[in-house]
Amino acid sequence: MATPAKPASTPRAKAPASQGSKAAAAAAGSEPYLRFHHSLDLRARTDAVLAALEESPDDAGHGAALADLVAELTGAGMDYYFLRPLRLAQVGFVAEQSARLGMSGAVKLISSVSRKFIVRMDREQLLAVATHIRALAR
């Protein structure tokens, strides 16, 4: 039995980075979204790391600072989306602690993997991540 041939895909021209990020931001604004609330202290640290990166993107150390920030935001998001509902549902101490332990392991794994990529990013890639975080923090 013959398999039907796949239709040829139409090649797409790659938009310049500035136009692509503007288009992505516009598209993201029209899509549904979820957000979480984090502490004012974390918001201040987020703004400080992103501002430092944006003001002097060629300085060394921005990759590590951004990786630390991403890890902290990941932890805050996991707490907000997964652990907070358990507390609100009053599932009990043992269930909540078990979930907390599982989330802690997941955050450590995600953070270590993301760190490996973020610390190797060049200037443009770090700025792209910063732009994305700024869009999330609106």
Side-chain angles (χ1 to χ4, degrees):
M1 179 173 185
T3 333
K6 285 185 172 181
S9 62
T10 309
R12 294 182 183 188
K14 188 175 180 183
S18 62
Q19 289 178 353
S21 59
K22 287 179 186 175
S30 63
E31 296 176 3
Y33 64 91
L34 290 172
R35 64 177 168 187
F36 68 94
H37 299 278
H38 54 289
S39 70
L40 293 175
D41 183 52
L42 180 53
R43 177 60 184 244
R45 286 194 308 276
T46 300
D47 289 340
V49 169
L50 298 180
L53 172 60
E54 293 161 348
E55 288 171 13
S56 57
D58 294 321
D59 285 354
H62 287 313
L66 190 59
D68 291 342
L69 175 64
V70 167
E72 199 166 352
L73 288 169
T74 300
M78 291 291 240
D79 182 72
Y80 191 86
Y81 284 117
F82 298 107
L83 299 176
R84 184 173 189 250
L86 294 178
R87 286 190 300 271
L88 293 172
Q90 299 176 346
V91 296
F93 179 77
V94 173
E96 189 178 326
Q97 289 304 98
S98 296
R100 184 173 303 287
L101 181 63
M103 287 298 127
S104 174
V107 168
K108 284 180 185 176
L109 178 64
I110 291 167
S111 297
S112 69
V113 171
S114 64
R115 173 175 280 288
K116 289 179 185 178
F117 291 101
I118 293 171
V119 297
R120 291 189 219 152
M121 289 181 176
D122 64 22
R123 170 186 193 270
E124 298 302 320
Q125 292 167 327
L126 289 172
L127 288 170
V129 172
T131 300
H132 180 70
I133 293 172
R134 286 256 188 237
L136 291 174
R138 283 190 223 158

